């Protein structure tokens, strides 16, 4: 194995670990605002590491350009999406009045 292949394997494993951590965080955290962090930060970092591994495996300018565009668009869209979700959750919590974070859980108010 060449050093580039070893670096690519390490990047894929680290990227997969970050993606797993994001999934576990989405499952374990309660509320919209708490779930925004694992939905964006570790997931984006994991994807960036996988993209880096792909480039290390095939280090050409064509591959680099495509992967760079993919990484930049992922960072931009994840940031904007997290902002919009947080804004909607904040507005929902403000309009309902209460100390919740705006998360609607189906069936929670069924008995009231």
């Amino acid at each position: 194995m060449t050093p580039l292949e070893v670096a690519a394997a390490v990047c894929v494993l680290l990227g997969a670990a970050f993606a797993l951590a994001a999934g576990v965080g989405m499952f374990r955290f309660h509320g919209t605002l708490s779930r925004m962090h694992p939905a964006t930060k570790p997931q984006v970092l994991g994807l960036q590491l996988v993209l880096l591994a792909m480039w290390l495996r095939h280090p050409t300018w064509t591959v680099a350009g495509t992967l760079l565009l993919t990484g930049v668009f992922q960072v931009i869209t994840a940031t904007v999406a997290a902002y919009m979700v947080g804004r909607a959750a904040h507005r929902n919590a403000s309009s309902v009045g209460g100390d919740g974070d705006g998360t609607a859980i189906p069936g929670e108010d069924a008995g009231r």
Side-chain angles (χ1 to χ4, degrees), residues 8-112:
V10 168
C11 286
V12 166
L13 290 175
L14 284 174
F18 276 110
L20 178 65
V24 169
M26 289 290 295
F27 182 72
R28 303 252 329 175
F29 288 170
H30 299 287
T32 304
L33 298 178
S34 299
R35 289 181 177 160
M36 280 178 20
H37 178 78
T40 55
K41 293 183 179 43
Q43 180 268 334
V44 169
L45 182 57
L47 177 74
Q48 299 293 338
L49 285 169
V50 170
L51 293 175
L52 176 62
M54 291 172 65
W55 181 76
L56 288 173
R57 194 76 175 108
H58 301 285
T60 64
W61 287 108
T62 306
V63 172
T66 305
L67 296 177
L68 184 64
L69 282 174
T70 303
V72 167
F73 287 140
Q74 178 64 31
V75 168
I76 292 170
T77 57
T79 305
V80 171
Y83 173 77
M84 295 305 290
V85 168
R87 182 177 172 203
H90 178 71
R91 284 187 173 190
N92 190 20
S94 297
S95 67
V96 171
D99 56 352
D101 69 350
T103 304
I105 301 173
E108 187 175 87
D109 295 332
R112 293 183 188 171

